[in-house]
Amino acid sequence: MDLTQLEVFRAIAEEGSVTAAAGKLHRVPSNISTRLRQLEDELGTALFSREKLRLHITDAGRTLLDYANRILALTEEARLQVSSQHPAGVFTLGAIESTAAVRLPPLIARYHQAWPEVELDLSTGPSGAMTDGLLAGEFSAVFIDGPPKHPQLEGIPVFNEEMVLISSLNHPPVTCAREISGATIYAFRANCSYRRLFENWFARENASPGKIFEMESYHGILACVSAGAGLALIPKSMLESMPGRDSVSAWPLSDSMGELAIWLVWRKGSGSANLRAMVKMLEAVQE
């Protein structure tokens, strides 16, 4: 049973004859008759009783007609949602945690006010997981540090970010990686781009971190650092939003290595109305 069969069946039920249904659907009567016969054979029951040139719907036909009307209505609704130039339906976004916590709340609020028919679905995680999810089709777009390196992805820079090294208040000033070579570090999992930046900073200055403890939240990292248990690298905007920001000292990375951009990234060729509306809103914010 396919949509064409249901459309034919409904037209016959509405018009009362094969000839009239054929005219409505711009098909030849023989095609309409064949479609109806195939549907009845598949269901194993008569959908119409024949009386001369007229067809009268049976009880089984009335039951199917109710389902057919609902199925065809949902199909049309889905077609309009997917092909519409007006933002609507589900819009799945991924974002690294710091961007989701600090940058996105006002943006999402404005987007929802402008396009209330869009159902925003936001997930957070390390940049590597967000990129993998985008490539796997789990997200419509993601906010990660860019630019994107995969050939199937494209995007635009949307936020400037600065990473800062945080230490306990009694820690000496940090001006280069060599000064803290061997120090205990707190960071997210290995697929976090901020962690890779931290490790590259050490490597660039022929230094290396000591033990790296993996944490799941910035609040946990901040608590450990403020207690003097080690050092960490976090976005300056994230630090400034946290209640415990005055319990640590913050130091910029040498050679401006901590300066980066957050990008909105999507698969090449994606051009949904929801994505276009988000891009337009971000471009307006930057002006």
Side-chain angles (χ1 to χ4, degrees), residues 5-206:
Q5 288 175 321
L6 292 179
E7 290 173 345
V8 166
F9 164 71
R10 184 172 67 175
I12 296 172
E14 292 173 347
E15 300 300 323
S17 76
V18 167
T19 301
K24 181 177 183 178
L25 297 177
H26 306 289
R27 295 170 179 263
V28 297
S30 60
N31 177 268
I32 297 299
S33 296
T34 299
R35 289 285 190 174
L36 176 59
R37 184 172 61 254
Q38 290 172 340
L39 180 59
E40 289 181 321
D41 289 344
E42 183 178 338
L43 296 174
T45 187
L47 300 174
F48 298 94
S49 60
R50 277 72 174 174
E51 182 181 341
K52 295 182 180 180
L53 298 178
R54 295 291 299 177
L55 295 179
H56 301 281
I57 194 167
T58 63
D59 289 341
R62 290 190 182 92
T63 299
L64 180 60
L65 182 60
D66 178 58
Y67 282 102
N69 284 330
R70 283 186 279 169
I71 291 171
L72 293 172
L74 284 172
T75 301
E76 178 64 12
E77 179 182 332
R79 185 189 68 79
L80 291 173
Q81 291 283 8
V82 171
S83 62
S84 175
Q85 299 303 305
H86 184 82
V90 179
F91 187 28
T92 53
L93 289 174
I96 52 180
E97 183 179 347
S98 57
T99 299
V102 179
R103 307 287 190 177
L104 295 192
L107 176 68
I108 288 177
R110 287 195 298 271
Y111 190 95
H112 179 70
Q113 291 171 358
W115 309 110
E117 296 180 10
V118 177
E119 180 184 344
L120 279 168
D121 184 359
L122 177 64
S123 300
T124 63
S127 56
M130 295 295 97
T131 300
D132 291 343
L134 179 61
L135 291 168
E138 297 174 14
F139 304 117
S140 304
V142 295
F143 289 90
I144 58 174
D145 64 301
K149 299 176 178 63
H150 196 282
Q152 295 180 15
L153 303 181
E154 61 184 350
I156 58 170
V158 291
F159 306 119
N160 293 321
E161 193 62 85
E162 180 186 0
M163 305 298 295
V164 293
L165 178 75
I166 59 172
S167 68
S168 61
L169 291 175
N170 60 1
H171 194 281
V174 179
T175 60
C176 66
R178 291 188 302 275
E179 294 174 347
I180 55 171
S181 186
T184 297
I185 298 299
Y186 291 91
F188 286 102
R189 298 188 297 274
N191 61 348
C192 173
S193 59
Y194 292 166
R195 173 171 171 172
R196 291 196 298 271
L197 172 64
F198 205 5
E199 293 171 341
N200 290 339
W201 181 60
F202 276 100
R204 182 173 175 175
E205 299 190 14
N206 296 317

Side-chain angles (χ1 to χ4, degrees), residues 166-171 183-186 213 220-232 247-249:
I166 59 172
S167 68
S168 61
L169 291 175
N170 60 1
H171 194 281
T184 297
I185 298 299
Y186 291 91
F213 289 95
I221 289 175
L222 185 66
C224 291
V225 171
S226 65
L231 306 171
S247 66
V248 296
S249 296

